[in-house]
Amino acid sequence: MNWISNYVRPKINSLFSRREIPENLWTKCPECGSMLFHRELAQNLNVCTNCGHHMAISPRRRFEALFDGGIFTEVKVPEPIVDPLHFKDQKKYPERMKAAQKNTGEKEAMLVVEGEIGRTPIVAAAQDFSFIGGSMSMYVGNAIVAAAERAVKLGRPLVLFSAAGGARMQEGILSLMQMPRTTVAVDMLREAGLPYIVVLTHPTTGGVTASYAMLGDVQIAEPNALICFAGPRVIEQTIREKLPEGFQRAEYLLDHGMLDRVTPRKELREELITIIRMMMNMPPAIAADLPAPEIKAEVPEVAEEAPAVAKAAPQPAADAKG
């Protein structure tokens, strides 16, 4: 055994070799091309620090920043039938589901939770576009119904974050049937007199836009989010005309009365707290808690010692003259 080549040389190479740098430390902004350090980007909620472009963010990460202390509880969603149509394209539907679950770490395209924001109790639901395009499936329909039922039971408002490419084609007509189901779920909230607030994120398209995403009492969108039923490219090819600049973007829809607000992600939490408390007839939120006043120990007053001191004092000089 050659100990120089087998032991000494690898040891020296390990000491002086350059460390491998992970590839995910930097993210390139798709809008301005700036290279953003991953920690700085995460602290800014996946918003470009240079141009303000809003990148995708997972529902779990969004809820960690939204709820007080990042604490929330998941709401159980009924499980639908797996692969009801036995659909297969290039891959089988169950294989696509397993791949999406492995990549995202989530069970399905929607997460339903409950908790408090600014000490205001709410129920919230959010779609994950990275899970098969956030497509509307039977599970998503069950999730919205479960969220509405939980909100009605607890007497809380429902806040929904939409991000979807439409209905899931692997479930066919069963996915399209979630449009009337979710509409009925929204009606449950209105009958109970509870607010339903929708935050439309990029992109929100197809049957999602044609159902629960546009039924909110208050419609808020993130900047430059694409919100439409049919995409601009399909419309241009159909009518054979050039569309206006920024067509179907959040700012364009706000100018034409389809939205109530366009709010940056960093300001969204405070705006939601204000709107919800106003709609629920609650007092304004407390910005911060002041510490309780310190209770000081009682100190005996000096006046109590005065009589004893007076008795010990010598007689005045006037008595000696008498």
Side-chain angles (χ1 to χ4, degrees):
M1 177 179 179
N2 191 339
W3 66 276
I4 295 178
S5 59
N6 293 341
Y7 178 77
V8 177
R9 185 176 295 171
K11 188 69 174 178
I12 294 174
N13 290 338
S14 65
L15 292 174
F16 292 96
S17 61
R18 304 177 75 180
R19 295 182 180 180
E20 295 182 0
I21 301 176
E23 297 179 356
N24 59 349
L25 287 180
W26 297 88
T27 301
K28 185 177 181 180
C29 175
E31 189 70 20
C32 66
S34 300
M35 297 302 294
L36 307 170
F37 188 53
H38 70 110
R39 290 181 183 174
E40 183 180 1
L41 183 62
Q43 290 174 357
N44 208 40
L45 300 181
N46 284 16
V47 178
C48 177
T49 54
N50 183 45
C51 67
H53 176 69
H54 285 53
M55 305 180 195
I57 185 171
S58 67
R60 198 169 294 274
R61 176 70 184 92
R62 183 187 291 276
F63 288 152
E64 289 174 356
L66 180 68
F67 286 97
D68 296 345
I71 301 172
F72 55 86
T73 305
E74 293 189 36
V75 175
K76 186 177 180 181
V77 177
E79 296 284 346
I81 301 173
V82 180
D83 194 16
L85 303 180
H86 303 286
F87 192 92
K88 180 181 178 181
D89 46 277
Q90 294 178 346
K91 291 182 181 180
K92 293 182 180 180
Y93 182 36
E95 293 178 3
R96 290 194 180 277
M97 288 290 294
K98 289 180 181 178
Q101 291 170 351
K102 182 179 179 180
N103 293 334
T104 62
E106 299 292 344
K107 184 186 299 183
E108 249 282 359
M110 179 164 278
L111 180 65
V112 182
V113 301
E114 61 183 58
E116 293 186 349
I117 57 172
R119 293 192 175 182
T120 308
I122 68 166
V123 176
Q127 288 180 272
D128 189 354
F129 189 77
S130 60
F131 195 105
I132 315 183
S135 49
M136 180 175 57
S137 61
M138 290 189 294
Y139 184 94
V140 171
N142 289 351
I144 296 175
V145 172
E149 290 177 344
R150 186 64 177 171
V152 171
K153 181 179 179 180
L154 299 178
R156 300 182 179 184
L158 175 60
V159 180
L160 187 140
F161 298 84
S162 65
R168 189 172 298 176
M169 69 175 187
Q170 288 88 349
E171 295 184 8
I173 189 64
L174 298 175
S175 64
L176 294 176
M177 286 301 297
Q178 307 313 309
M179 296 173 64
R181 287 189 70 213
T182 54
T183 303
V184 172
V186 174
D187 287 338
M188 291 169 52
L189 293 167
R190 289 181 177 165
E191 290 177 1
L194 297 171
Y196 173 53
I197 300 173
V198 181
V199 180
L200 300 107
T201 68
H202 178 79
T204 300
T205 62
V208 172
T209 308
S211 56
Y212 58 87
M214 296 302 293
L215 295 177
D217 300 311
V218 179
Q219 300 285 135
I220 306 174
E222 291 186 340
N224 203 37
L226 177 65
I227 303 165
C228 60
F229 179 72
R233 183 178 58 185
V234 175
I235 296 175
E236 283 186 345
Q237 292 175 353
T238 303
I239 65 176
R240 297 180 182 179
E241 291 184 10
K242 185 68 176 176
L243 296 175
E245 185 69 24
F247 184 69
Q248 294 180 324
R249 295 289 174 170
E251 291 77 7
Y252 184 92
L253 298 180
L254 177 65
D255 293 338
H256 289 76
M258 289 189 67
L259 297 176
D260 298 306
R261 298 280 291 172
V262 174
T263 306
R265 191 175 294 165
K266 294 280 285 184
E267 303 173 9
L268 186 59
R269 182 178 185 272
E270 297 300 324
E271 184 158 302
L272 285 174
I273 293 172
T274 302
I275 292 174
I276 291 171
R277 295 184 76 89
M278 180 179 63
M279 296 182 71
M280 294 291 290
N281 293 323
M282 300 173 67
I286 300 174
D289 292 332
L290 295 176
E294 296 182 2
I295 302 176
K296 297 182 179 179
E298 294 183 0
V299 180
E301 297 181 0
V302 182
E304 296 179 357
E305 303 288 339
V309 174
K311 292 178 180 178
Q315 296 293 327
D319 295 340
K321 291 179 180 180

